Amino acid sequence: MTTSATTTKIPSRFGYASCLSCRECGQTYELGAQHACAECFGPLEVSYDLPRVTRELIESGPQNIWRYASLLPVPPDVAARPNTEPGCTRLIRADRLARALGMRALWVKDERGNPTHSFKDRVVAVALAAAVEMGYKVLACPSTGNLANAVAAAAARAGIRSVVLIPADLEPQKITATAVYGGTLVAVEGSYDDVNRLASELADDREDWAFVNVNVRPYYAEGSKTIGYEIAEQLGWRLPRQIVVPVASGAQLVKIDKAFRELSALGLVEDEQCRVFGAQASGCAPVAAAFRAGHDVVQPVRPATIAKSLAIGNPADGPYVLDVTRRTGGVVADVSDEEIVAGITLLAATEGVFGETAVGVTIAVLRALLAAGQLDPAAETVIINSGDGLKTLDAVAAEMPALPPIRPTLEAFARLESSLAMGRAGAA
Ligand SMILES: Cc1ncc(COP(=O)(O)O)c(C=O)c1O
Ligand SMILES: [Zn+2]
């Protein structure tokens, strides 16, 4: 990592980012519109000459991700430009959920608090800032749903065109919550991986289109570091001992770990190990399968799960998820669709937090890891609620008990109550 030495350099249009470096062969490139290594086709990531950042400086910053702007590849005036101002979401102490699971100290990082109700607003805000610096004119993406919402909203706020490609069978809530912003929304007949392939071809063809998670991916992915920074700051400048993160492409998990290591290198937190765990749905678990098999490469799969936001069969960061989880002593595990629904309702009923299918995956994996003795119930643990249950209503609607309507009289209410009491007695 290039984060151990701090610099007194003046920030450039990409802040304190110094170069793009290949994650496979280490080759470095000037900052710009490049995402793959010319030598080995490996993915590029942003490296930095980080400045001397203090806790006080961060704490005096804005109540959004730009309080960490000096640790991101964005221009120094980024906070003043029109953007959706994501971040600073709640870290909820989840005592009732912890008790239900037999744990001692558990927190939920609740990403519903972002402008379009998922963590994707963070990555899009960073991608947009970098894309504008590089002269792109259109903000685009292939998406499993939440990214679509975030790109369409951020482009509307910045006054530029958006083009969003989605699989045609996406949840209706995610389609409407993208279309409302007025960009171009294209439903594609096929899986997310088909949509992603089309986006890559378009990115080669349309010079001034920034596909946030394709040709601007090195900048985009850095946005997820802010989840890690916030968790540490909200815990009183400490790292948790364990964290459970949902995995689709795997970028979120990898960047949360990168954030923790940067904070340690900068002396902002004690240099302690946080075990990083990855969560997938069994209907799309290529990384969990590779983890179990002890493989370094991830074999693509064809997804079939209610967790559509995580349905990426060929995950770009899959190998790096394996690296991070193995290095930190974590695990990547997967759970069934029934367990996912049970996870959603358990979180809602214990903490009043209605998360989307991705959090159902995360809670269910947490439960499975505890049962298998792979996660320490006594150690401080954070889980990510990456999106909002209101966008994936169909996943749980059929499971919800619906009482029959009654006439508006006390008598009718009393009759209903006694039938409910009988039902409870019968069930006991
Ligand atoms: C709600 C939600 N959680 C988690 C993820 C996974 O993120 P990543 O692709 O960075 O692994 C996604 C990605 O689409 C998502 O929409
Ligand atoms: Zn390379």
Side-chain angles (χ1 to χ4, degrees), residues 119-120 144 146 246-252 309-310 356 358 386-387:
F119 84 103
K120 292 291 186 183
T144 59
N146 285 305
V247 171
S249 77
Q252 183 188 164
S309 60
L310 302 184
E356 75 140 71
S386 47

Side-chain angles (χ1 to χ4, degrees), residues 243-279:
I243 188 164
V244 189
V245 185
V247 171
S249 77
Q252 183 188 164
L253 181 148
V254 169
K255 294 298 177 173
I256 288 175
D257 173 72
K258 184 178 183 186
F260 288 169
R261 286 184 295 130
E262 285 179 348
L263 293 179
S264 297
L266 288 164
L268 292 170
V269 297
E270 295 268 321
D271 191 10
E272 283 180 324
Q273 186 68 266
C274 172
R275 299 172 71 199
V276 182
F277 297 83

Side-chain angles (χ1 to χ4, degrees), residues 289-371:
F291 185 93
R292 253 194 310 275
H295 294 163
D296 294 333
V297 289
V298 174
Q299 209 65 46
V301 300
R302 190 156 254 286
T305 169
I306 58 167
K308 294 184 183 180
S309 60
L310 302 184
I312 299 184
N314 188 12
D317 287 81
Y320 308 110
V321 169
L322 295 171
D323 287 348
V324 168
T325 49
R326 286 179 178 143
R327 172 171 50 75
T328 61
V331 174
V332 190
D334 60 277
V335 286
S336 70
D337 284 359
E338 295 73 41
E339 292 171 295
I340 294 168
V341 173
I344 294 171
T345 52
L346 177 64
L347 176 63
T350 52
E351 299 297 343
V353 172
F354 182 20
E356 75 140 71
T357 44
V359 84
V361 172
T362 307
I363 300 268
V365 162
L366 171 65
R367 203 179 213 169
L369 292 169
L370 286 163

